[in-house]
Amino acid sequence: MSDVTRILSEIDAGDPQAAKQLLPLVYDELRRLAAAKLAHEKPGQTLQPTALVHEAYLRLVDSNQVQPWNGRAHFFGAAAEAMRRILIETARRKQSGKHGGQHQRVELSEVRIGVDSPPDVLLQIDEHLEKLATLDPQAARLVNLHCFAGLTIEQAADLLGISARTAYRDWTYARGWLFRALEQQRQAVG
C-alpha cells in the first residue's frame, strides 16, 4: 500500500492529522495536473496553478464532508474533477455582469495621463480628476503627484504616508477610472 493510499484510508477513518500529511505527498502531482488544466484555458486567465491546487485540495479534504477514497487513482480523479468545476465556476463568474461580463479588457498602459497630453485632453483629465477626488481623494492626489509632479509611485506613496502596495493599487484603480471616464466622454461626443 502506497503512502498516499494509506493516508487516504486514515482520512476515511476520521484521522484529522492525516489530511496534513497528504498534501506534501500529492502536491507536485496536483500542481502538474492544475498546470495541464490551465494550459487549455484562454490567455488572460488569472487563476494560477497553485491557487487551483489549494482550492481543489480544500474541497477534497473538507472535514465537514468526509468522502471515502478508493485509493490513489480515485483521489486524483476527484482532484481533476474538482479542478474542472473550479475552472467552470471561475468562467461563469467572469461572464456575469457583476464581474465585467462581456467587457473587453483594456491594458492600462494605453492610458496616457500627464503634462505631455494635448491641451484638450488635459482639460478633460482635470475635469475627471476633480470627480475622482470626490470619490477617492487619495487616488486623485496620487495621480497628481505621479503624473503632474513627476514622482514615482514609491515617492508619491511616501509623501502620502501610505505603503507602496496601497499606492500601486490606488494607481491601478485611478488609471482605470480615468480611462473609463475619458472613453465614455469620447463615445458621447463621437
Side-chain angles (χ1 to χ4, degrees):
M1 180 183 290
S2 75
D3 287 341
V4 172
T5 306
R6 179 184 52 77
I7 292 171
L8 290 171
S9 296
E10 290 172 6
I11 291 172
D12 288 346
D15 182 357
Q17 299 301 317
K20 292 178 185 174
Q21 297 171 6
L22 181 63
L23 186 59
L25 293 176
V26 298
Y27 183 81
D28 289 337
E29 200 166 338
L30 287 175
R31 192 155 194 307
R32 278 192 296 277
L33 183 61
K37 292 260 185 211
L38 289 172
H40 300 293
E41 294 294 311
K42 288 182 179 179
Q45 171 62 261
T46 57
L47 189 61
Q48 298 297 315
T50 301
L52 183 57
V53 167
H54 290 190
E55 178 66 28
Y57 185 78
L58 288 173
R59 290 183 184 194
L60 292 171
V61 295
D62 183 1
S63 59
N64 296 329
Q65 298 177 336
V66 178
Q67 186 174 20
W69 299 109
N70 296 328
R72 179 185 180 93
H74 182 225
F75 177 79
F76 282 102
E81 178 64 18
M83 288 180 195
R84 184 186 71 78
R85 288 181 183 188
I86 292 165
L87 290 171
I88 289 170
E89 289 167 8
T90 302
R92 284 184 180 143
R93 190 171 44 252
K94 284 182 179 180
Q95 291 296 316
S96 74
K98 184 175 182 181
H99 290 90
Q102 299 296 327
H103 293 288
Q104 182 180 359
R105 182 181 179 95
V106 175
E107 292 299 320
L108 292 177
S109 61
E110 296 173 16
V111 180
R112 307 267 319 145
I113 303 171
V115 294
D116 60 341
S117 299
D120 60 327
V121 174
L122 270 177
L123 292 173
Q124 292 172 2
I125 290 171
D126 180 59
E127 176 186 332
H128 294 301
L129 200 52
E130 286 182 23
K131 290 178 187 173
L132 177 61
T134 63
L135 299 172
D136 191 334
Q138 180 173 288
R141 286 192 303 271
L142 181 73
V143 171
N144 279 327
L145 291 170
H146 182 59
C147 295
F148 297 104
L151 299 179
T152 66
I153 298 292
E154 292 83 4
Q155 291 168 332
D158 189 45
L159 194 63
L160 292 171
I162 59 175
S163 70
R165 184 177 183 143
T166 298
Y168 277 106
R169 187 189 67 233
D170 287 350
W171 172 241
T172 300
Y173 163 73
R175 282 184 71 177
W177 190 93
L178 287 168
F179 176 78
R180 187 173 48 252
L182 290 167
E183 186 63 23
Q184 287 173 346
Q185 185 174 19
R186 186 187 65 78
Q187 289 176 354
V189 172

